[in-house]
Amino acid sequence: MDVQGIWFDPCGMLPRHMAAGVVLSLLLGLWSTQALEMSVGKIPFLEAVNGSTVMLPCTYASCIGISNLYFNWQFNESGTMVKMCESVIPKEGVEPDVTILRERVEFVGSSKGNNVSIVLWNITFEDEGQYTCFGRNPKEKGKNHSAIFTLIVVDELRVVDNTLTIIIGSAVGGAIGLLMGFMLLKNLTLFVLAKLEEKNKECLVTSSGIDNTENGLSGSKADSKPTPKKK
């Protein structure tokens, strides 16, 4: 339906420009959920000691699957991106034939786990910097994505001072222990008071019976009369 040059959808709810915008948003949302994604994990950095061996993690994901997925690892060497390894995964479940382009690099990933991680052997201070895990999936019309992992190389790992943590833990533990001791003492006190109260009640009942007997009240032996003699 067309009124004054404005097109409405069949339900008569949205103008043409609004309907087109909604459709475009839905398509973009659907495309983004299907797009290839490379990930280096929740913590994208690592601090390691000079001379040690480290793993640089990277996984990929795609809602519509992969076909001839190309991936590589690159190192930012003073502003120049240098390839460390590369390969193509033909399809899901097929292990790639990885080409290693730099010394001390080993591929340890597996397509069965969507994993394209690598290991760096005997790292040096020159290995410190940013590493990029790149992927491109032709099945998504060449959609590509990358993730950056930062490696920090040090002489020795920093010793974390746990003094404050120990003090806080001790204080909290002491407070909990004091509270438990107070509750135990409270319960013990209530128990003793209940026993004393119960004993006092027994004493009152006993003393009441004795008083009745001594005072010659009804029901006591002092109240009883001698049997009259027969004439």
Side-chain angles (χ1 to χ4, degrees):
M1 180 179 179
D2 193 295
V3 179
Q4 296 181 353
I6 301 179
W7 178 88
F8 286 80
D9 64 350
C11 297
M13 300 296 294
L14 297 173
R16 174 182 296 177
H17 65 280
M18 292 181 64
V22 170
V23 172
L24 180 60
S25 298
L26 291 174
L27 290 176
L28 289 175
L30 180 61
W31 177 257
S32 64
T33 59
Q34 293 178 343
L36 176 69
E37 181 179 2
M38 311 298 287
S39 173
V40 293
K42 294 182 179 180
I43 303 178
F45 64 88
L46 174 67
E47 187 174 284
V49 177
N50 180 34
S52 63
T53 297
V54 299
M55 183 181 74
L56 307 184
C58 185
T59 58
Y60 61 87
S62 175
C63 292
I64 64 173
I66 64 168
S67 176
N68 292 322
L69 171 68
Y70 170 80
F71 72 90
N72 67 41
W73 274 94
Q74 303 174 54
F75 175 57
N76 188 346
E77 189 170 14
S78 301
T80 302
M81 301 303 293
V82 180
K83 283 186 182 179
M84 304 173 64
C85 69
E86 64 180 351
S87 186
V88 173
I89 303 177
K91 59 181 180 180
E92 296 179 13
V94 177
E95 298 300 334
D97 183 13
V98 181
T99 301
I100 304 298
L101 303 172
R102 187 163 179 162
E103 295 181 352
R104 299 180 289 108
V105 174
E106 179 183 357
F107 179 76
V108 294
S110 172
S111 62
K112 294 180 180 179
N114 293 0
N115 192 330
V116 291
S117 302
I118 60 173
V119 163
L120 295 183
W121 292 87
N122 302 321
I123 61 173
T124 66
F125 289 105
E126 286 72 24
D127 294 321
E128 180 174 286
Q130 292 185 337
Y131 293 81
T132 300
C133 178
F134 172 86
R136 182 174 61 246
N137 188 17
K139 193 172 183 178
E140 298 175 358
K141 296 183 179 180
K143 182 68 177 182
N144 62 73
H145 190 251
S146 61
I148 297 176
F149 190 86
T150 302
L151 177 63
I152 304 169
V153 183
V154 295
D155 281 322
E156 59 182 12
L157 294 178
R158 291 173 292 179
V159 178
V160 179
D161 187 1
N162 294 322
T163 304
L164 181 59
T165 303
I166 294 174
I167 293 175
I168 295 175
S170 300
V172 172
I176 294 175
L178 183 62
L179 180 61
M180 292 180 64
F182 173 76
M183 294 300 295
L184 181 61
L185 181 61
K186 178 183 177 182
N187 292 334
L188 180 61
T189 303
L190 292 176
F191 176 77
V192 172
L193 291 176
K195 287 295 183 182
L196 290 175
E197 185 177 358
E198 184 179 345
K199 188 173 182 180
N200 289 335
K201 287 182 179 179
E202 291 178 355
C203 290
L204 289 173
V205 171
T206 303
S207 64
S208 177
I210 294 174
D211 290 344
N212 289 341
T213 301
E214 291 177 350
N215 295 331
L217 297 177
S218 60
S220 66
K221 291 183 179 180
D223 233 8
S224 60
K225 298 180 180 179
T227 305
K229 296 181 180 181
K230 294 181 181 181
K231 294 182 180 181

